Amino acid sequence: EAVPKVFIPSEELIRDVRQGAIDCFGVTALEYVKIMDLIDPDSLVLQDYLADGMEYVLLVHSSSAFRKIADLRGAQIVSHLHRDMVLLPAWLDTMLAANNLPEAGRFFGSNQLHDKVNEVVLPVFFRRADGACLARRSWETAVELNPQLGRDLRPVAVSPKIIPIAIGFRRNCNADGRKMLLDSMMRLSTTTAGQQISALYQAKEFVVRPTSVMKTTVEMVNQFERMSGQAGSRKGKP
């Protein structure tokens, strides 16, 4: 067929991409690293707000005694449950390791997940939790709605710019079909239905970037997976 087969991620994603059964796929960065050798290097599709990467922040109350990440040992953390936060475990563990601290599961006292931004930042604002993990863009939106959050909360740690999700094309898939689909995606914001879809995902449009934009993200994920593998090996020892 001329138009590439589009696949919504599932447990069979990596297998089917490797077998050539899928031409276009939306993946998290965790899946991306497993099939990056099969992805067309010039046709990575991103939501516009991810074009230059995004940052995670770990917020604390401005009047708290937390000045550096090591001060949060045993702290009660609240994190945003959102598709953009898929790399939060990778960031926390690699950031803690860079500071010679244990992985997040052993370092923090607890880490609760909430899908509403207010349920993440307000517990820290009201001093019912010690720290909040969320995307910087989500925090900035919350500050626009309630400027006092910007005065009373401050970041104690900020991630590098990373790309948690992307849409890729398999190398050597039908070139005409790929162009047709790419052109349609680039025109999405010009239609009412397309604008509604983009708004649903809090974006304005899609952009095309080379896979080189994933370099920092791939390095973080690879380090995280090495650390996870080493931790698993240690747990398996008597």
Side-chain angles (χ1 to χ4, degrees), residues 3-235:
V3 178
K5 299 173 185 177
V6 180
F7 183 82
I8 299 174
S10 74
E11 295 299 324
E12 293 78 33
L13 170 65
I14 296 172
R15 182 200 67 195
D16 287 351
V17 173
R18 291 204 169 278
Q19 291 179 352
I22 303 169
D23 296 321
C24 179
F25 36 85
V27 289
T28 69
L30 302 173
E31 295 163 327
Y32 175 90
V33 298
K34 294 178 172 60
I35 54 174
M36 56 187 294
D37 58 313
L38 302 176
I39 296 177
D40 185 299
D42 301 316
S43 305
L44 197 67
V45 182
L46 305 172
Q47 291 164 275
D48 55 354
Y49 70 88
L50 292 176
D52 298 317
M54 64 180 297
E55 295 173 330
Y56 297 159
V57 292
L58 174 50
L59 303 175
V60 297
H61 200 281
S62 297
S63 63
S64 72
F66 305 126
R67 300 299 171 192
K68 57 185 184 298
I69 189 62
D71 297 334
L72 285 164
R73 186 184 294 271
Q76 310 303 306
I77 305 297
V78 186
S79 295
H80 192 199
L81 181 61
H82 188 276
R83 66 181 184 279
D84 286 343
M85 301 300 293
V86 67
L87 291 177
L88 180 60
W91 173 53
L92 289 178
D93 278 3
T94 54
M95 181 260 295
L96 289 168
N99 287 273
N100 297 313
L101 298 169
E103 63 268 23
R106 292 195 298 126
F107 180 72
F108 297 118
S110 66
N111 191 348
Q112 298 182 3
L113 301 175
H114 292 286
D115 58 5
K116 293 181 173 59
V117 172
N118 279 346
E119 294 175 348
V120 176
V121 296
L122 291 183
V124 180
F125 178 78
F126 289 115
R127 309 301 295 272
R128 294 195 299 266
D130 298 313
C133 291
L134 69 166
R136 182 189 285 277
R137 71 190 299 260
S138 298
W139 177 45
E140 290 174 346
T141 299
V143 170
E144 288 178 7
L145 298 173
N146 184 353
Q148 190 172 352
L149 293 174
R151 295 191 293 269
D152 288 5
L153 301 182
R154 58 178 170 80
V156 73
V158 180
S159 78
K161 288 190 174 183
I162 49 179
I163 299 175
I165 52 179
I167 298 173
F169 288 86
R170 185 174 56 82
R171 286 176 185 262
N172 303 320
C173 72
N174 183 281
D176 292 335
R178 181 179 63 227
K179 184 178 185 305
M180 288 172 57
L181 184 52
L182 274 173
D183 289 345
S184 296
M185 295 173 75
M186 296 305 105
R187 292 196 304 268
L188 193 65
S189 61
T190 65
T191 67
T192 301
Q195 291 169 0
Q196 293 172 343
I197 293 172
S198 297
L200 179 65
Y201 290 96
Q202 300 175 321
K204 294 181 180 178
E205 59 185 2
F206 286 115
V207 296
V208 179
R209 294 289 185 269
T211 55
S212 57
V213 300
M214 296 292 292
K215 182 176 184 294
T216 299
T217 304
V218 168
E219 290 173 350
M220 174 188 289
V221 173
N222 285 338
Q223 181 185 356
F224 173 63
E225 292 188 340
R226 286 194 299 270
M227 292 166 52
S228 299
Q230 292 168 358
S233 298
R234 288 195 298 269
K235 289 179 182 178

